[in-house]
Amino acid sequence: MKEVRVRFAPSPTGFLHIGGARTALFNYFFARQNKGQLVLRIEDTDSVRQKEDSIGQILDSLKWLGIDWDEGPDQGGDFGAYYQSQRLSFYSNAAAELIQSRKAYYCFCTEEELETERKRQRKEGTLIRYSGKCRELSKNEVRERLEQGLKPVIRIKLADFDQIIVNDLIRGLVKFKSDQFDDFIIIKSNSLPAYNFACVVDDHAMRISHVIRAEEHLSNTPKQQYLYEALGYTIPKFAHLSMILAPDRSKLSKRHGATSVSEFKDMGCLPEAIINYLTLLGWSPGEGKSELISPEQTIRSFSLDKVSKTAAVYDIQKLVWLNGQYITEYNLEKLTLYAVPFLIQAGIVSSIEAEQNHSYISAVVKTVRERVRTLQELAEASRYFFKDIIMYDEKGKEKYFRQENVAILLSEGKERLAGIEDFNVENTEKAYRNLMEELDIKGGQIIHPTRLALTGRTVSPGLFDVMALLGKKRCLERLEQAIDYINKMKS
Ligand code: GLU
């Protein structure tokens, strides 16, 4: 088989969006599975839609996700440049070739003329198509107009054909009737290439074997196939990945909340969880298999003909759930490193404290991680391990601090804890169990108010884990504080 070479070709028009990330990932899977090459090409010739900084943001997001490529803007490669804006001579040469062979022509129609034509067509109810007016201009006419300084576009001169058939590796044969096409523009009046043209010229020059991209480009593919043939290039294989729709099956947009990799990152998602989630948008590990799937596992079994044909539905709850699963299982040291910026951001620790208390932070992370789904939640769940309690949960207060004899119970508890020398999980638990037995009370009667006293909350990790982590001094202080508070509540 010919060497597999695929590409991810983002336009720098904003952040790396979930759809773009999924396209990059599926190209990556395919390249790695086939021991081929993944090329990153920046399609930056549309200066109007371009947003500053977005190239850097896209590259950072890809790297953060762990999607690496073999050739591209930063490391180069044999088929560069990897920015389209640095490849303009490729496009003008290819266009000149088409003009030479009379497969393309200069068109001098102005925007006003074209608009008048379109208006007429709309009125007559005919298809909106360029009339082909400039098709037959003679060489002299063209030269004269160029000498006058007019800025033409270059259009492809479509030959007669019935239909174009795209053989898509995911969708099978897709037919496009000839009336869907007119002499489309390949070079714009500012001399920059139109997307379809640049894409074909580059995919050929970069020896791309498989074009794997979003379904929204399927309608461009027949035009591109036409261009491949006109230029005498071999047509690569195509695979169009299904759309990603919003939960209400409308087009996914900003109003559906976080949709870019950087937003997921800011929410506190781990790259591995995002990768796992993106994998499931079109790929299935197979009936009855766990949805927790690593890139290595997917690479082993990946195949384009098994990628889903139907639209994937974006479900942030599923991403968050998956993220929770990863947080629970993750390497503790790595998870701590990811958690620290969230603790700083939430004002829970300062950067200096984070450096000095690394092992304590790690122990907190270990204790809270099973109950949280994002790093933001992890930070919130860690707060009372670092900060004093300034407020008690409202409902908890009513339920547990108004209990009869609660202050007496808490001071008994406090006394027992004060007597412990080695203040660890086992000993704190033993002290509380003995107390419950002696007083003949149910566990909840003392455990719930103690939890509220120590954490300010009604839910937390195991109470004795919390005690051991807080340490004796803070436990005693917080119990004392709660007892005072309860006494004030009563008076
Ligand atoms: N620059 C195009 C985009 O961002 C890529 C299209 C393609 O992959 O051919 O949608």
Side-chain angles (χ1 to χ4, degrees), residues 267-268 320 342 368 371-382 457:
M267 267 166 59
V320 167
F342 286 84
V368 300
R371 293 166 181 268
V372 299
R373 301 167 310 158
T374 66
L375 297 170
Q376 266 184 8
E377 287 182 10
L378 188 146
E380 262 331 298
S382 307
R457 304 174 189 195

Side-chain angles (χ1 to χ4, degrees), residues 7 9-11 41 43 195 199 211-213 216-217 224:
R7 84 310 191 262
S11 306
R41 180 174 76 224
E43 306 213 318
Y195 154 70
C199 181
V211 171
I212 305 169
R213 62 183 167 203
E216 67 191 33
H217 288 293
Q224 295 184 8

Side-chain angles (χ1 to χ4, degrees), residues 7-13 20 23 27 41-44 49 84 195-196 199 203 211-214 216-217 220 224 238 240:
R7 84 310 191 262
F8 175 53
S11 306
T13 51
T23 301
N27 273 288
R41 180 174 76 224
I42 306 295
E43 306 213 318
D44 60 344
R49 290 172 55 226
Q84 285 192 327
Y195 154 70
N196 279 315
C199 181
D203 283 342
V211 171
I212 305 169
R213 62 183 167 203
E216 67 191 33
H217 288 293
N220 288 317
Q224 295 184 8
F238 289 102
H240 290 88

Side-chain angles (χ1 to χ4, degrees), residues 322-335:
L322 269 172
N323 200 54
Q325 304 293 308
Y326 275 82
I327 286 183
T328 308
E329 299 289 322
Y330 219 61
N331 171 288
L332 181 62
E333 191 49 33
K334 262 173 82 184
L335 185 62

Side-chain angles (χ1 to χ4, degrees), residues 19-138:
R22 197 254 323 240
T23 301
L25 181 64
F26 280 35
N27 273 288
Y28 168 82
F29 286 153
F30 189 71
R32 295 291 166 260
Q33 188 193 41
N34 291 287
K35 314 247 171 311
Q37 308 291 310
L38 172 59
V39 176
L40 183 68
R41 180 174 76 224
I42 306 295
E43 306 213 318
D44 60 344
T45 58
D46 189 347
S47 51
V48 181
R49 290 172 55 226
Q50 219 147 293
K51 294 221 179 88
E52 230 179 284
D53 285 350
S54 58
I55 297 176
Q57 278 155 357
I58 291 171
L59 299 190
D60 286 350
S61 287
L62 288 170
K63 284 182 199 157
W64 182 77
L65 285 173
I67 299 178
D68 55 5
W69 52 93
D70 306 293
E71 293 168 30
D74 32 11
Q75 73 272 56
D78 292 343
F79 301 91
Y82 294 92
Y83 287 95
Q84 285 192 327
S85 57
Q86 294 169 14
R87 302 177 59 83
L88 299 183
S89 61
F90 282 85
Y91 317 126
S92 50
N93 291 344
E97 224 176 87
L98 290 176
I99 297 250
Q100 189 68 32
S101 58
R102 300 187 147 274
K103 290 177 183 160
Y105 60 93
Y106 289 105
C107 167
F108 294 89
C109 293
T110 61
E111 196 34 55
E112 294 74 50
E113 283 176 277
L114 294 174
E115 188 46 36
T116 313
E117 188 171 299
R118 287 194 284 263
K119 266 197 194 137
R120 182 178 51 75
Q121 289 168 338
R122 258 181 238 124
K123 212 161 147 200
E124 290 169 2
T126 54
L127 291 166
I128 309 288
R129 297 282 172 263
Y130 174 62
S131 64
K133 185 175 159 207
C134 294
R135 264 186 168 212
E136 306 308 335
L137 291 178
S138 68

